[in-house]
Amino acid sequence: MQNATQERQEDALSTHQSERHSRQQDSNSSTRRRSRPRRQGVALPLDQHYNQPIKPHVWRSKRRLWTRTQIDRERDEFFDTRVTGRAEVWAALRAALSLLRESEIETAQGIIDAAGVTVPTGDLCEGAYDENGVLYRLPQCIVSDPDNIVDDSGGAAGETDGGDDDIEDGISDRKIVSEESDEELISDDVERRREEKGKMSERDMIRVKARLSDRGGPDVIMPIGKTQNVGVLARKIHSEAKLANTQRIRIVYLGRMLRENEPLVDQGWKPGQVINAMVVAKPS
């Protein structure tokens, strides 16, 4: 009888110790869960993004000298040919930059904030972001006037004195050339004569698919020589699309406006890829 009682007491003690050990393990596990750091990567609210008040951008053109007419035309064409990002953000940036150049910084800042745009460094040339984190690049010739801008009557516009500080986002100040550049016209005449005489072989030709901005389709497929400049391609598309003489074509590839005085393949285009043919008004 005594042995049975002793065995029951030992069983009860063993059960009590087991339950106590189990509760202690549960408590330790709960403590570890509470002390585990929260997972990273949670999106920050807009007011917590890196952001600085916008400020004027000061620069000096070393690659070329700008006239007021040239830089205004460049800005119009830049904003009229944006194919990436959100249109309303580009519109807000355009309006804010116009005010910023007039020293109306507070009003410009209000437009930037209302559009949900953040500028991590305060300098729009170094990048601006929308609420989805999309980057908007702005060349410095779009953001502000150089401090050595010249009068339209000056004959020095377009001259260079070396340096390459005007290149931004693959857009170079030198990409704007005279509509009636002698070198370009001579080059085009030579190329036209070569084509007429049949001296351009099939292996020197490429077929380029262009998507015009003023219509829903179809795309234009245009044959052109590998060494022919983008300006020649633009005029061929203009003729094929039967556009008015008051309009012109600017070639855009991967969101970047191409230079008209260089071949397409020299500017990164790959066979089979589509280019954008932006229909814009000719400068008056």
Side-chain angles (χ1 to χ4, degrees):
M1 185 70 175
Q2 183 177 0
N3 289 339
T5 301
Q6 184 176 359
E7 287 178 358
R8 285 197 297 272
Q9 290 176 343
E10 289 176 352
D11 290 342
L13 178 62
S14 176
T15 301
H16 175 72
Q17 289 177 338
S18 176
E19 291 175 350
R20 182 180 178 183
H21 180 68
S22 176
R23 286 196 300 270
Q24 185 175 2
Q25 284 184 326
D26 291 342
S27 176
N28 291 340
S29 175
S30 176
T31 301
R32 283 196 299 271
R33 285 196 299 270
R34 287 197 300 270
S35 63
R36 186 177 300 164
R38 292 184 178 182
R39 296 178 66 180
Q40 302 298 316
V42 178
L44 292 173
L46 179 62
D47 58 2
Q48 295 183 27
H49 286 182
Y50 290 111
N51 193 23
Q52 294 291 333
I54 59 174
K55 57 188 177 183
H57 179 79
V58 180
W59 63 289
R60 184 178 183 83
S61 177
K62 293 182 179 180
R63 180 167 294 281
R64 62 173 291 178
L65 295 180
W66 289 92
T67 67
R68 169 57 53 198
T69 299
Q70 288 171 338
I71 204 165
D72 287 347
R73 182 177 64 195
E74 174 77 358
R75 287 166 182 163
D76 288 341
E77 292 185 350
F78 176 84
F79 284 109
D80 289 344
T81 56
R82 295 304 88 193
V83 295
T84 60
R86 293 159 51 194
E88 61 270 26
V89 173
W90 282 119
L93 289 170
R94 186 176 193 173
L97 287 173
S98 179
L99 291 166
L100 187 62
R101 290 192 292 269
E102 298 295 328
S103 299
E104 297 186 31
I105 300 177
E106 185 175 348
T107 307
Q109 183 70 62
I111 292 175
I112 291 290
D113 293 341
V117 174
T118 55
V119 188
T121 66
D123 188 342
L124 284 161
C125 284
E126 297 179 8
Y129 296 83
D130 66 16
E131 293 174 310
N132 297 323
V134 176
L135 173 62
Y136 294 75
R137 296 184 182 276
L138 295 159
Q140 54 190 354
C141 62
I142 303 301
V143 172
S144 63
D145 296 343
D147 59 12
N148 58 339
I149 194 169
V150 299
D151 294 334
D152 286 293
S153 58
E159 292 181 358
T160 63
D161 58 1
D164 57 0
D165 66 338
D166 296 346
I167 299 177
E168 182 81 15
D169 188 26
I171 299 177
S172 169
D173 291 344
R174 62 179 174 176
K175 74 184 175 64
I176 295 297
V177 296
S178 169
E179 290 295 319
E180 300 299 331
S181 167
D182 290 340
E183 291 183 0
E184 186 175 340
L185 289 177
I186 293 172
S187 175
D188 292 349
D189 287 340
V190 171
E191 288 165 347
R192 278 194 289 268
R193 286 197 294 269
R194 286 177 60 192
E195 291 180 49
E196 290 170 1
K197 294 179 181 179
K199 291 185 177 180
M200 188 171 289
S201 65
E202 186 66 27
R203 66 181 179 181
D204 294 327
M205 301 292 291
I206 53 177
R207 293 171 61 84
V208 182
K209 179 182 287 189
R211 188 158 296 158
L212 284 97
S213 64
D214 67 338
R215 63 198 69 181
D219 294 338
V220 174
I221 300 178
M222 187 62 54
I224 187 175
K226 292 179 181 179
T227 59
Q228 288 185 300
N229 292 336
V230 166
V232 177
L233 174 61
R235 284 186 287 278
K236 285 188 172 186
I237 295 174
H238 183 283
S239 176
E240 180 70 18
K242 296 179 173 57
L243 297 176
N245 292 332
T246 56
Q247 296 175 308
R248 61 177 300 204
I249 293 289
R250 297 305 302 271
I251 303 300
V252 176
Y253 173 65
L254 297 181
R256 179 169 60 93
M257 191 179 297
L258 301 186
R259 294 181 288 275
E260 294 189 348
N261 58 340
E262 294 182 15
L264 191 64
V265 294
D266 289 355
Q267 300 186 64
W269 177 84
K270 304 295 183 184
Q273 294 181 338
V274 179
I275 63 170
N276 293 97
M278 310 304 297
V279 181
V280 299
K282 277 188 176 181
S284 58

